[in-house]
Amino acid sequence: MTGTSALFVPDVRIAADAVAFPELSASFFIASLEKLKSPLVVLPTGNTPLGMYDVLATKYLGRRDLWDNMRFLALDEYAGLASNDARLFSGWLTKVFLDRVGIPVANRTFFQSDAANPVQEIARIQNFLRTSGPVDIAVLGLGANGHLGMNEPGSAFDSPTRLIALTPETIKSGAAYWGSEAAVPRTAYTLGLGDLLQAKQVMLLVNGAAKADILASTLTDTVGVSIPATSLRTRADVVVVADATAALKLKP
Ligand code: PGA
């Protein structure tokens, strides 16, 4: 895929500050949910969406019509961790969002990090996507290296759900959460770019000055596998919600 293909321009919305960012993110997410009956939703872990989850769990907690009908599918997960490990994305997301708004347990699909047979585990999620997909709403964070989910640089735009080796940059980012690089698992399950690009709507959340360069690259560099997030420009209906500091390097 190169810059010569037909490209789309994402709809970029800029929130003025750290209070407006989660509010704007939450209102776009709610508006997307409201359009759909029983949407299959992919949500990110990380620092970026935390404020949005807080807004959803407070201001929008009463929207039982939305939370009771939403179906959740995990975006990614470290591989090989025990089911009670504190580093699991599933546990984190359960705590910061899914339990708080009360997404029915039967509506939650996670990767099983400690699956005895990773090949079967990947097939299970691929089969889920075939029978219950495609994804309706994919909410994504932007990695410092341009990854989406754990689709690291080099990921093909049609890549499927799979196990992937994390790059040194992602391991370094993970160390900020778990204390040291040694504590960061080396592999992760991730939905593929192919799965994410098929979503009916995509919302990319980006905040903080540290993401200003990669956001500008995502929106203006040549579309290609060295920056997985540039794949978003190969499809329509992508909304980028950024705060003012992340948007600093965007041209007006
Ligand atoms: P962050 O992670 O929200 O913690 O910056 C984003 C990502 O790596 O996808």
Side-chain angles (χ1 to χ4, degrees):
M1 189 85 53
T2 70
T4 56
S5 311
L7 295 178
F8 297 83
V9 179
D11 179 5
V12 181
R13 304 299 176 106
I14 298 171
D17 55 37
V19 175
F21 175 68
E23 290 280 349
L24 188 64
S25 307
S27 61
F28 265 101
F29 181 60
I30 291 287
S32 299
L33 281 179
E34 281 173 335
K35 283 187 213 142
L36 300 157
K37 270 220 155 60
S38 152
L40 182 63
V41 176
V42 165
L43 295 170
T45 49
N47 278 325
T48 309
L50 273 178
M52 179 181 82
Y53 296 144
D54 278 339
V55 174
L56 295 173
T58 50
K59 191 166 168 182
Y60 297 97
L61 184 61
R63 291 300 302 271
R64 296 265 40 100
D65 59 320
L66 302 180
W67 309 133
D68 288 344
N69 294 305
M70 193 189 112
R71 295 175 297 139
F72 164 79
L73 173 63
L75 171 62
D76 49 16
E77 181 63 273
Y78 288 133
L81 300 181
S83 58
N84 60 353
D85 195 292
R87 294 166 290 178
L88 285 174
F89 293 165
S90 55
W92 187 94
L93 205 53
T94 296
K95 199 163 67 187
V96 301
F97 179 69
L98 301 171
D99 276 357
R100 286 174 82 192
V101 298
I103 303 298
V105 171
N107 288 6
R108 306 177 189 181
T109 303
F110 296 106
F111 289 99
Q112 197 191 322
S113 180
D114 64 351
N117 184 332
V119 174
Q120 274 175 20
E121 178 58 8
I122 291 160
R124 183 179 69 86
I125 297 294
Q126 288 176 342
N127 190 49
F128 174 87
L129 279 166
R130 261 192 304 277
T131 55
S132 306
V135 173
D136 290 296
I137 306 169
V139 183
L140 305 171
L142 178 62
N145 64 357
H147 73 201
L148 298 176
M150 287 301 188
N151 290 283
E152 299 282 41
S155 296
F157 288 3
D158 61 356
S159 55
T161 295
R162 67 203 186 286
L163 202 53
I164 190 165
L166 301 182
T167 59
E169 199 166 4
T170 296
I171 291 168
K172 201 167 154 209
S173 310
Y177 290 94
W178 312 119
S180 71
E181 291 190 20
V184 181
R186 271 24 188 185
T187 55
Y189 292 101
T190 187
L191 299 186
L193 287 180
D195 305 316
L196 298 174
L197 293 174
Q198 274 175 40
K200 292 184 192 130
Q201 296 171 63
V202 177
M203 201 173 134
L204 181 70
L205 306 181
V206 194
N207 68 350
K211 299 279 177 72
D213 284 324
I214 191 64
L215 179 58
S217 295
T218 295
L219 296 173
T220 58
D221 280 11
T222 302
V223 169
V225 297
S226 61
I227 303 177
T230 58
S231 65
L232 297 176
R233 287 157 53 206
T234 66
R235 51 152 297 153
D237 296 321
V238 174
V239 176
V240 177
V241 180
D243 76 347
T245 54
L248 266 180
K249 304 226 166 129
L250 304 185
K251 300 211 172 67

